[in-house]
Amino acid sequence: MQGKTVVITGATSGIGEVTAIHLAEQGARIVFVARDARREEATRSRLAGGGHSYHLADLSTLAEMKRVGAEIAAAEPRIDVLMNNAGALFASRKLTADGLESTFAVNHMAYFVLTALLRERVVPGGRIVNTASAAHWGASLNFDDLQSARGFSAYGVYQRSKLCNILFTRALAKRLD
């Protein structure tokens, strides 16, 4: 990974943070998105090497997704790996300023919007990685109620968001082939 630029969302905890730390140890330059400065600082202090950068953004709103995507695109002419990893599970149904259900917004829409904005920066042979989970098993999509206005279940919404990640990744792979 020496000399590679890796953009990671959700890099301030969990899988994203462990990935950022290990890739930095292998010589990658990490560009990450964090939702608050305190967590950003803690993660940045754990990254080996130098030249890492970060962007603060709330990935639950379309305006912030677009803003941070444009910021990263302007700052990074070359991206070797885009890792969409930010995720959340909200216990109760909460809508974003855009009218999107919060879990769906963070777990799926942020992946979609950031990929659309950064895809041209991903070098030939580069990778776009969308973190999903086995939670998608048993999930189905109701296109008449994608925002879970009827019958909200926190885990059910999480399952559907992970199914959306997998379906998006498969469709993207076909388009990029």
Side-chain angles (χ1 to χ4, degrees):
M1 294 302 296
Q2 190 66 44
K4 305 280 186 189
T5 297
V6 180
V7 175
I8 306 177
T9 65
T12 59
S13 66
I15 293 168
E17 185 176 38
V18 170
T19 301
I21 290 168
H22 285 289
L23 292 176
E25 288 170 352
Q26 295 174 35
R29 187 173 72 81
I30 307 300
V31 177
F32 65 100
V33 178
R35 68 177 169 237
D36 72 63
R38 183 181 50 78
R39 291 175 69 180
E40 168 277 315
E41 189 176 314
T43 296
R44 195 165 29 94
S45 72
R46 293 181 186 104
L47 299 178
H52 309 297
S53 65
Y54 68 94
H55 300 267
L56 293 176
D58 174 358
L59 293 179
S60 71
T61 69
L62 291 170
E64 283 286 282
M65 293 173 207
K66 290 175 183 177
R67 179 192 61 78
V68 78
E71 265 183 25
I72 294 169
E76 303 300 333
R78 173 194 174 94
I79 297 172
D80 296 285
V81 179
L82 168 60
M83 184 176 175
N84 292 305
N85 176 68
L89 189 156
F90 297 95
S92 60
R93 186 171 187 270
K94 189 168 86 169
L95 297 181
T96 67
D98 307 299
L100 298 172
E101 191 284 322
S102 296
T103 300
F104 179 80
V106 174
N107 292 6
H108 177 63
M109 289 305 298
Y111 289 25
F112 183 86
V113 171
L114 289 176
T115 299
L117 294 170
L118 298 175
R119 192 169 113 185
E120 295 300 316
R121 296 288 190 264
V122 177
V123 300
R127 298 287 184 259
I128 299 172
V129 178
N130 296 315
T131 302
S133 75
H136 77 283
W137 289 107
S140 62
L141 297 177
N142 177 352
F143 289 101
D144 293 325
D145 190 25
L146 275 180
Q147 301 312 310
S148 304
R150 300 181 300 273
F152 177 86
S153 154
Y155 189 66
V157 171
Y158 180 79
Q159 285 181 292
R160 287 188 291 280
S161 72
K162 296 292 108 183
L163 177 58
C164 286
N165 294 155
I166 290 167
L167 295 173
F168 169 59
T169 302
R170 291 180 69 179
L172 183 63
K174 285 180 183 176
R175 285 180 177 87
L176 296 177
D177 215 3

